[in-house]
Amino acid sequence: MEQRESHPMILPRAMLRACRRAGRRSKLADTTNQDLTGNEVLLRSLILMRLLTRDVLAADEKYVGLLLPPSVGGGLANAALPLARRIPVNLNYTMSAESINSCIRQCGIRHVLTTRRVIDKLNFKLDAELVFLEDFRDRVKPLDKLVAFLQVYATPIGLLERWLGLKQIQPDDLLTVIFTSGSTGEPKGVMLSHRNILSNVDAIDQLVKLNDDDVVAGALPFFHSFGFTTTLWTVLTLPPKGVYHFDPRDARRIGEMCHKHRATIIISTPTFLRFYLKRCQPEEFANMDVAVAGAEKLPSELCDAFEAKFGLRPVEGYGATECSPLVAVNIPDSRAASSSQLMRKEGTVGRPIPGVTARIVQLETGETLGPNQEGMLWIKGPNVMQGYLGRPDLTAEAIRDGWYVTGDIAVIDDDGFIRITGRESRFSKIGGEMVPHLKIEEQLQKIIAAGEDELKVAVTAVPDAKKGERIVVLHTPMERTPDDICKQLAEAGLPNLWIPSPDSFYQVEEIPVLGTGKVDLRGLKAAAVKRFAEA
């Protein structure tokens, strides 16, 4: 990232420079046949910013919601809001209406930018005024076009920054809030600053050596920090072009997109890589030389099959929303700075990225452990969040003396590579989504216990070769069948990803409980692993 000025750099300023340098070169494209140059990205972002501040947003309106899939339109909306010195909040459209409205309430969001097509698919009511992007076409006046044209083509960058008030933004000012599920399923707002995201972008640039010829294929949603940082802001502030598709499971369209735009980098999850392995053709990934998978464990069998078909071996990375998200990554041989230095080690999630420090802490005593000793993974660096929105109590639990407590059990080997060995918290990562066990458990208890106080059900997870993890329900004797219960979970509004399969129910004599009265999570998992886990 160029730092040629003494004035602190922030993301919209970096974007102005990157898009202007791109000029007439293609910068953002998607599968709806939109394809914009760097100049066009700036032009449309500035026009949208102007319309939003003039016609929609109040002067004191800080947070603005977005319900938009990965697309050129979604990218432009995310670019326009920081230019307007507003905070974009990408809402998770796979959540229930109740959860989305919780996010809206926590941020005090008054307006949500979206499209009619998205709202028609969701079919629920939000507690904010909807602003449809397609309606802006009729609001653009000749003066709007003229002003934006002069800003893009005739105004020096420094003058444009002063004109837009961007120099008033400081690196530690909030860029976005990304919501992640809380321990009870209530969304938690992770506050990420310009410094947080930029530190990740800088590290990616140092490690992967991005250039003008690179094309990043993006299908991860922008409400995930992985998609927000690696496929959106990395593209907007560095040389590569970004190409987007709205559904990461739609392998055929993604394969066509990668072939058409000669994509060189794909950012994904193991679950989605399996879709591409089955349905994409080798020639569609012919230009690809980097495939990075995160959010769940990357099995070596998947790497073998992917390499056999596409001639490209995926590498694994690791992150957390609270870390912007990238913490560590393996570097593929094609991008390694030196052939003599060990840059990747399969079975690990790589070394910490530049500027980030990792340590292993003994769970009971808090003592820092040495190499090859298993314990809790703690992370420190400029990527660590500012905290949880409106929840200083949860922030104090998660961040201790500047260290983020990941909740993951890990080992750091003699070469500095991190290997994740388990997860302490009651979540599963399935298809890249965080699935809260307690939220499922609460709904199951309502169905199975029917108002009784007795603990009749508990939820855990076991490894699964296809999805990373499999939700398992341990229960005492019940009258309803698993099929009936799964139908009731769906009727209660739980996302499909959260609903266990009927063959994942396991009857036990009693739910294991500790002396403290808490559910014995380790005993629970051990029973499930014994019954369900694959070899």
Side-chain angles (χ1 to χ4, degrees):
M1 181 74 57
E2 294 187 17
Q3 301 268 356
R4 291 176 291 185
E5 302 178 50
S6 58
H7 202 80
M9 182 64 75
I10 45 94
L11 282 158
R13 295 180 64 199
M15 183 190 73
L16 292 180
R17 287 161 170 73
C19 288
R20 184 166 280 190
R21 282 196 297 270
R24 296 180 180 178
R25 181 169 57 83
S26 179
K27 187 64 174 167
L28 293 185
D30 63 24
T31 52
T32 67
N33 294 320
Q34 290 201 75
D35 196 335
L36 305 184
T37 66
N39 287 336
E40 289 170 334
V41 170
L42 272 189
L43 189 73
R44 295 198 188 189
S45 298
L46 288 164
I47 290 174
L48 180 56
M49 176 212 73
R50 186 176 172 88
L51 296 178
L52 287 171
T53 52
R54 184 186 69 204
D55 299 341
V56 178
L57 305 177
D60 64 343
E61 199 165 346
K62 187 176 179 182
Y63 299 95
V64 181
L66 297 94
L67 270 177
L68 295 165
S71 59
V72 168
L76 293 176
N78 273 281
L81 288 169
L83 288 173
R85 289 181 289 160
R86 301 304 204 280
I87 298 169
V89 181
N90 287 275
L91 300 167
N92 184 342
Y93 39 77
T94 68
M95 285 182 173
S96 65
E98 178 187 5
S99 294
I100 295 178
N101 283 325
S102 171
C103 302
I104 288 171
R105 184 173 61 254
Q106 289 182 54
C107 288
I109 290 171
R110 301 180 218 171
H111 293 93
V112 173
L113 308 185
T114 186
T115 67
R116 286 185 172 82
R117 185 176 181 181
V118 170
I119 294 300
D120 288 345
K121 283 188 175 182
L122 294 177
N123 192 30
F124 50 55
K125 180 172 171 53
L126 298 181
D127 298 336
E129 184 178 343
L130 301 180
V131 180
F132 298 108
L133 291 183
E134 56 264 46
D135 293 347
F136 279 101
R137 296 190 191 99
D138 298 329
R139 297 187 185 183
V140 181
K141 301 174 181 177
L143 181 60
D144 297 322
K145 293 181 180 179
L146 176 61
V147 170
F149 181 88
L150 293 174
Q151 288 174 328
V152 172
Y153 294 100
T155 308
I157 286 286
L159 181 58
L160 180 56
E161 290 173 335
R162 284 193 291 274
W163 188 351
L164 298 173
L166 299 184
K167 292 191 176 183
Q168 297 174 28
I169 304 174
Q170 297 301 309
D172 288 324
D173 288 348
L174 200 59
L175 171 71
T176 191
V177 175
I178 294 182
F179 280 91
T180 182
S181 296
S183 59
T184 62
E186 182 74 12
K188 294 184 296 185
V190 176
M191 299 188 293
L192 299 176
S193 67
H194 290 262
R195 188 189 304 278
N196 291 151
I197 301 295
L198 259 175
S199 71
N200 249 219
V201 171
D202 281 340
I204 291 167
D205 193 28
Q206 288 180 54
L207 293 170
V208 189
K209 307 296 180 187
L210 300 168
N211 58 61
D212 290 358
D213 296 326
D214 278 320
V215 178
V216 177
L220 297 176
F222 297 152
F223 60 72
H224 276 182
S225 55
F226 202 23
F228 184 79
T229 296
T230 61
T231 68
L232 177 60
W233 280 105
T234 295
V235 166
L236 287 174
T237 57
L238 293 177
K241 171 183 176 177
V243 296
Y244 303 102
H245 184 59
F246 59 85
D247 184 355
R249 300 162 301 179
D250 188 357
R252 296 191 197 285
R253 293 289 300 280
I254 288 170
E256 292 168 1
M257 175 184 79
C258 290
H259 186 254
K260 176 181 177 180
H261 295 280
R262 303 174 67 84
T264 59
I265 299 170
I266 189 162
I267 310 294
S268 192
T269 70
T271 294
F272 298 141
L273 288 184
R274 289 187 183 93
F275 286 119
Y276 311 151
L277 177 63
K278 288 179 181 178
R279 299 179 186 133
C280 293
Q281 301 305 312
E283 60 271 18
E284 292 175 328
F285 282 12
N287 296 98
M288 204 81 70
D289 78 335
V290 177
V292 179
E296 56 194 38
K297 185 173 178 58
L298 178 64
S300 58
E301 297 82 5
L302 174 58
C303 294
D304 292 340
F306 206 88
E307 184 176 28
K309 183 168 185 177
F310 300 113
L312 169 66
R313 194 166 188 86
V315 296
E316 188 172 0
Y318 168 80
T321 302
E322 291 85 349
C323 294
S324 305
L326 194 58
V327 167
V329 68
N330 286 283
I331 309 303
D333 295 340
S334 62
R335 300 296 175 115
S338 169
S339 58
S340 61
Q341 188 178 5
L342 185 63
M343 300 298 288
R344 69 180 180 92
K345 187 181 286 189
E346 206 152 293
T348 76
V349 295
R351 285 196 186 98
I353 62 175
V356 170
T357 304
R359 75 181 184 190
I360 302 298
V361 172
Q362 215 280 337
L363 269 68
E364 284 75 23
T365 66
E367 173 194 358
T368 300
L369 301 175
N372 304 308
Q373 291 183 284
E374 187 179 71
M376 181 72 75
L377 178 64
W378 288 25
I379 300 298
K380 192 172 192 176
N383 60 332
V384 174
M385 66 171 178
Q386 293 186 330
Y388 295 114
L389 179 69
R391 294 302 304 269
D393 55 331
L394 295 178
T395 301
E397 290 177 15
I399 301 178
R400 303 176 194 174
D401 296 324
W403 290 87
Y404 171 63
V405 182
T406 66
D408 286 322
I409 310 303
V411 171
I412 300 178
D413 69 17
D414 292 318
D415 296 315
F417 285 82
I418 301 170
R419 181 166 55 88
I420 305 298
T421 59
R423 187 170 297 115
E424 183 82 346
S425 57
R426 296 202 65 190
F427 289 90
S428 289
K429 284 187 179 178
I430 301 175
E433 292 267 359
M434 292 299 288
V435 178
H437 295 178
L438 281 176
K439 193 72 172 178
I440 305 168
E441 198 169 275
E442 287 168 1
Q443 198 62 47
L444 283 167
Q445 185 72 10
K446 290 178 185 176
I447 295 169
I448 295 172
E452 297 178 18
D453 292 331
E454 182 184 350
L455 182 62
K456 292 192 171 186
V457 64
V459 172
T460 186
V462 298
D464 183 275
K466 293 182 179 179
K467 298 187 292 184
E469 287 189 301
R470 172 186 182 182
I471 295 295
V472 168
V473 178
L474 273 70
H475 62 88
T476 55
M478 58 186 187
E479 296 179 1
R480 291 184 171 90
T481 66
D483 287 285
D484 182 39
I485 290 169
C486 291
K487 288 177 184 176
Q488 288 189 264
L489 289 174
E491 290 169 1
L494 262 64
N496 287 335
L497 209 60
W498 294 18
I499 299 174
S501 59
D503 63 352
S504 295
F505 284 67
Y506 176 36
Q507 182 172 312
V508 293
E509 195 170 310
E510 60 181 9
I511 303 299
V513 176
L514 295 170
T516 58
K518 295 182 179 179
V519 173
D520 181 1
L521 298 181
R522 294 191 180 187
L524 190 70
K525 189 174 185 71
V529 166
K530 185 177 179 180
R531 173 68 176 80
F532 290 101
E534 298 176 9

